[in-house]
Amino acid sequence: MKNRIHFLVFLCLIAALLIPSAVHAQSGGSNGNGQLVLGGTYTLASGDTLDEDLAVLGGTATLQNESTVNGDIFIAGGTLTVSGTVNGTITALGGTLTLDDNAVINGDVVTTGATLHRSENARITGSIIQGSGYLPQNLKDLSMFNQPNVRMNFQPFSDVMWFLFRTLALAALAILVTMFLPRQTGRIANAVVLKPMESIGMGLLTAVVAPLLLIILLVTIILIPVSLLAALALGLAILYGWIAMGLEVGKRLEKMFHTSMPLAVSAGLGTLVISLIGNGIAYIPCVGWLIPALISLFGLGGVFLTRLGTRIYPEGAPDAPLPTEQIATPAAPQPPVSPVPPPDESPRE
């Protein structure tokens, strides 16, 4: 039992490293994408300017005196303190919004289930809208979340090294997961192969519903820890599905080259191949995200259809075999041995 707990802790640490995570917005300049901060704190220092939208989910944001945000601000289930200038609309779902003496809001202030503390000296040029069911037009469909800035500005050499490290780490993780959960991983891969349309359909449904549920949980401050744990669980499910897809690719490579490998090695090799191809294609502008997204959706659907690999899907399908080294093979029958005649003990003449 203790080994399994250590294994789960190790998986969480690896997932935190490999799953893309949001970074704090940097002051000055704009790359055309909204800045997304998940949990933690965000501070825009005095005199700094943020030329894009800002979204803070389940965290604390502070805009210091003489700071400027040229965009909209969206905060869910957290705390926002404004002492600078915001040239856009502030929308708060749950949590607390504080406008200090020096706050200048050149737009609307929208609160839904949030507490508004406004200083008498705070200036708002737009309207104050309190209630539920309203989002400003420029936040329609939460467009600021479409392409959050989740990549740091690496030099080319560092970027390549990080790409290789992440790919090799995924392959190593696939070997480890398949060693501990061989049959469960095989069931997920089998479900994707036998029911591909149902797998991608379940993956699409999860990808649409899960973010909405996370936002709903973030609205209530008490459920913020639950939402963060749910986000981590979703990331682990995507990672597990990716490994299961790698296992299937590894088994097909075995058949292609007419060789045989241990199941864990096959999963590591397949995960290495799809990670190199998928993450490499991801650098192609506009369409590079399509292949990794499809792989993730197929794997995620298989994870949920098999309930994390704990059941066979579809029902009646053959179960995934265990690694050959874990299967007790019956001993081969030995050919009958003819009796050896006793030695001739008669005296020789």
Side-chain angles (χ1 to χ4, degrees):
M1 181 66 180
K2 185 180 294 184
N3 291 334
R4 291 197 174 188
I5 294 176
H6 292 166
F7 176 62
L8 290 176
V9 172
F10 176 76
L11 278 184
C12 292
L13 293 176
I14 291 294
L17 175 66
L18 298 179
I19 298 173
S21 58
V23 298
H24 295 300
Q26 302 296 326
S27 61
S30 173
N31 62 358
N33 297 327
Q35 299 288 348
L36 175 62
V37 180
L38 291 175
T41 60
Y42 172 83
T43 301
L44 186 63
S46 177
D48 287 345
T49 301
L50 178 65
D51 292 323
E52 50 197 357
D53 296 332
L54 170 65
V56 182
L57 303 182
T60 300
T62 302
L63 309 181
Q64 296 182 353
N65 187 25
E66 297 183 356
S67 63
T68 304
V69 175
N70 294 320
D72 298 318
I73 299 178
F74 179 85
I75 181 168
T79 302
L80 173 63
T81 302
V82 181
S83 299
T85 301
V86 178
N87 296 318
T89 296
I90 299 178
T91 302
L93 296 180
T96 302
L97 171 61
T98 301
L99 303 180
D100 289 341
D101 293 341
N102 298 320
V104 178
I105 313 301
N106 294 319
D108 297 332
V109 174
V110 183
T111 60
T112 302
T115 302
L116 174 62
H117 298 292
R118 177 190 178 188
S119 170
E120 294 181 356
N121 298 325
R123 184 159 56 92
I124 302 175
T125 61
S127 303
I128 300 178
I129 302 173
Q130 293 179 306
S132 59
Y134 175 83
L135 280 178
Q137 186 64 30
N138 50 6
L139 286 178
K140 187 178 180 181
D141 300 326
L142 297 180
S143 59
M144 65 169 63
F145 299 119
N146 288 345
Q147 293 180 336
N149 183 20
V150 297
R151 295 186 59 196
M152 299 180 181
N153 293 323
F154 287 124
Q155 297 296 326
F157 177 76
S158 300
D159 206 3
V160 171
M161 293 302 296
W162 169 247
F163 169 78
L164 294 177
F165 170 77
R166 183 177 58 182
T167 302
L168 293 175
L170 274 172
L173 181 63
I175 294 175
L176 185 63
V177 169
T178 310
M179 288 177 60
F180 278 86
L181 305 170
R183 176 156 284 171
Q184 291 85 345
T185 309
R187 287 171 179 170
I188 297 172
N190 287 349
V192 175
V193 173
L194 296 176
K195 296 292 183 179
M197 299 307 297
E198 294 182 17
S199 297
I200 195 170
M202 178 62 72
L204 283 170
L205 180 63
T206 305
V208 172
V209 174
L212 297 178
L213 293 178
L214 292 177
I215 292 176
I216 292 174
L217 291 175
L218 283 170
V219 171
T220 306
I221 298 179
I222 298 177
L223 295 179
I224 289 177
V226 177
S227 65
L228 296 179
L229 289 176
L232 177 60
L234 180 62
L236 288 173
I238 295 174
L239 200 59
Y240 195 14
W242 188 277
I243 291 173
M245 295 295 293
L247 173 60
E248 181 61 30
V249 171
K251 291 191 295 185
R252 291 174 183 264
L253 289 175
E254 287 186 48
K255 294 180 180 179
M256 182 183 301
F257 293 101
H258 304 287
T259 184
S260 178
M261 295 180 292
L263 194 65
V265 176
S266 180
L269 177 61
T271 303
L272 178 66
V273 171
I274 66 171
S275 298
L276 284 173
I277 297 175
N279 294 332
I281 292 177
Y283 285 93
I284 300 176
C286 299
V287 297
W289 59 272
L290 184 58
I291 298 300
L294 287 176
I295 296 175
S296 300
L297 290 176
F298 274 113
L300 184 62
V303 168
F304 280 94
L305 288 175
T306 60
R307 298 176 186 173
L308 298 177
T310 59
R311 71 164 188 167
I312 301 173
Y313 190 88
E315 295 183 2
D319 198 2
L322 289 172
T324 53
E325 62 269 20
Q326 298 183 10
I327 300 177
T329 55
Q334 300 294 330
V337 180
S338 58
V340 179
D344 186 7
E345 297 181 356
S346 59
R348 298 182 179 180
E349 296 180 357

